[in-house]
């Protein structure tokens, strides 16, 4: 139960942060929709992702785990299907500039938005899980 609550809170905060700072996630600025989307994502990650990773195991082995973004994108897609007011939309990433590196602005279509947001969601959530554990 503790694991479920921890995952729920982490996905809730990561979804909010991504929608606020990066874009591409729309939930109508309704807290109820964000809570429902976080719950759907948590349940999908805990129940469906292991099955999906088992089905995609040959591709993950051949690509040394690089193909894992497909399962992450599918979890976002399932969440968007389960929660009607939650959606992933095409957007333009504004880019990032620092002294060390530059990420240029990129306009992403729907599939690109799913891929990009699944990678960002996976990276941030994994980092937070690692920090807490």
């Amino acid at each position: 139960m503790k694991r479920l609550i921890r995952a729920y809170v982490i996905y809730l905060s990561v979804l909010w942060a991504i929608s606020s700072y990066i874009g591409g996630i729309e939930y109508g600025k309704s807290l109820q929709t964000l809570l429902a989307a976080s719950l759907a994502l948590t349940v999908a990650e805990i129940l469906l992702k292991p099955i999906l990773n088992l089905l995609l195991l040959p591709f993950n082995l051949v690509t040394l785990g690089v193909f894992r973004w497909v399962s992450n994108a599918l979890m976002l897609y399932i969440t968007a299907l389960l929660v009607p007011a939650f959606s992933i939309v095409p957007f333009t990433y504004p880019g990032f500039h620092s002294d060390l590196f530059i990420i240029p602005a990129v306009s992403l279509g729907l599939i690109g938005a799913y891929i990009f947001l699944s990678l960002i969601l996976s990276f941030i959530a994994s980092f937070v899980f690692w920090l807490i554990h």
Side-chain angles (χ1 to χ4, degrees):
M1 187 67 176
K2 183 179 176 182
R3 176 179 170 229
L4 183 65
I5 294 171
R6 182 180 356 185
Y8 177 72
V9 170
I10 289 172
Y11 285 124
L12 176 69
S13 58
V14 170
L15 283 176
W16 175 81
I18 289 174
S19 68
S20 297
Y21 296 110
I22 295 176
I25 296 177
E26 287 186 357
Y27 59 93
K29 300 301 179 196
S30 168
L31 182 60
Q32 292 174 342
T33 304
L34 189 60
L35 293 172
S38 300
L39 181 64
L41 185 61
T42 303
V43 170
E45 289 279 338
I46 290 175
L47 296 179
L48 297 177
K49 193 169 182 180
I51 296 167
L52 188 61
N53 283 340
L54 190 60
L55 292 173
L56 295 174
L57 183 63
F59 298 110
N60 281 327
L61 289 175
V62 169
T63 62
L64 300 175
V66 175
F67 202 70
R68 189 170 289 263
W69 64 266
V70 172
S71 63
N72 294 331
L74 284 173
M75 292 303 106
L76 272 179
Y77 181 71
I78 290 169
T79 302
L81 285 177
L82 292 175
V83 182
F86 178 82
S87 63
I88 305 297
V89 295
F91 70 102
T92 300
Y93 177 67
F96 178 78
H97 301 282
S98 75
D99 293 336
L100 299 175
F101 59 92
I102 296 172
I103 301 174
V106 176
S107 181
L108 299 168
L110 188 60
I111 294 174
Y114 270 107
I115 294 169
F116 179 74
L117 292 174
S118 69
L119 291 173
I120 296 296
L121 177 76
S122 175
F123 177 75
I124 295 172
S126 296
F127 182 71
V128 173
F129 277 116
W130 176 77
L131 280 178
I132 291 175
H133 192 253

